[in-house]
Amino acid sequence: MMLVEETTVPQAALPVAEFKAHLRLGSGFAEDQVQDVVLESFLRAAMTAIEARTGKVLIEREFSWTVNGWRDAGGQSLPVAPASAIVELTIEDQTGDVQLIDPEAYRLAVDMQRPRLVPVSSLLPTIPRAGAARVTFIAGYGPDWTDLPADLAQAVMLLAAHYYEYRNETALGSGCMPFGVTSLIERYRTVRLLGGGAQ
């Protein structure tokens, strides 16, 4: 299984001004924009960490997901949520030939925890031996920062501020996350079953 982020969070979607206010940074100075690049990097890092912990995509973007076999040909859960659209489904055989599957043959079963690619008839297309299926889909709460649930937005701000305050610290343990952030994201975390595969 391989998940690839095909598009990134656009700069315009990052809440840099709100983050400055959260940090209580001064404004009205000629150097107001000097730290913007640094603040953006902390926001992106915080979003990435929270997405990794929850399996939820915060700002909408396109992903491609390649699998060598369906866990369940009657409907396959996508690896992240929430998903809003399936862009395309292709099947590649062992020789590298790619077949574009008719969009009428499948659909997205929308779910905030486990969105699924499901067949319109009985089963998803067969993946040949040594072949692969590639699902391209759109995931995220929306294209803008204001589309995020308030608690996830607050968690990003808290974690980005933590990164900012401890930017010169080297003694923090791997995966360190403040308690306030952990409590805010806890209800969004997805329990993984069967060796970590998406169900």
Side-chain angles (χ1 to χ4, degrees):
M1 178 186 101
M2 181 172 63
L3 181 67
V4 176
E5 186 177 319
E6 299 290 351
T7 57
T8 60
V9 176
Q11 184 178 7
L14 295 172
V16 176
E18 292 91 334
F19 188 36
K20 285 181 179 179
H22 180 83
L23 294 173
R24 298 178 181 268
L25 295 180
S27 61
F29 302 100
E31 299 84 11
D32 272 0
Q33 311 303 316
V34 171
Q35 286 202 75
D36 283 7
V37 173
V38 174
L39 298 179
E40 285 176 21
S41 70
F42 288 131
L43 283 168
R44 288 183 188 277
M47 291 173 67
T48 299
I50 288 171
E51 288 181 346
R53 289 281 182 106
T54 62
K56 304 295 182 291
V57 178
L58 303 183
I59 301 294
E60 188 176 85
R61 50 203 192 274
E62 184 175 294
F63 293 84
S64 64
W65 183 47
T66 304
V67 293
N68 299 110
W70 305 120
R71 190 177 292 277
D72 180 359
Q76 176 66 57
S77 294
L78 298 177
V80 292
S84 58
I86 302 292
V87 177
E88 69 174 24
L89 170 61
T90 60
I91 303 291
E92 181 177 354
D93 64 23
Q94 61 184 342
T95 67
D97 288 335
V98 177
Q99 175 191 6
L100 179 65
I101 304 301
D102 183 352
E104 298 297 321
Y106 59 86
R107 65 181 180 83
L108 173 67
V110 177
D111 187 285
M112 293 303 287
Q113 296 295 328
R114 298 188 189 279
R116 291 166 47 96
L117 173 70
V118 296
V120 169
S121 56
S122 57
L123 298 173
L124 292 169
T126 301
I127 301 174
R129 182 180 176 85
R134 185 174 186 262
V135 184
T136 304
F137 63 98
I138 305 295
Y141 284 98
D144 300 313
W145 179 255
T146 54
D147 295 316
L148 267 66
D151 47 359
L152 284 179
Q154 180 67 11
V156 171
M157 289 293 182
L158 289 174
L159 186 56
H162 178 77
Y163 290 159
Y164 179 82
E165 294 296 331
Y166 293 94
R167 59 192 177 279
N168 298 316
E169 179 62 67
T170 59
L172 292 175
S174 175
C176 178
M177 190 169 281
F179 172 75
V181 175
T182 304
S183 62
L184 284 169
I185 67 174
E186 185 61 34
R187 75 185 185 100
Y188 293 95
R189 296 185 69 183
T190 302
V191 177
R192 301 290 184 179
L193 303 173
L194 299 176
Q199 296 299 301

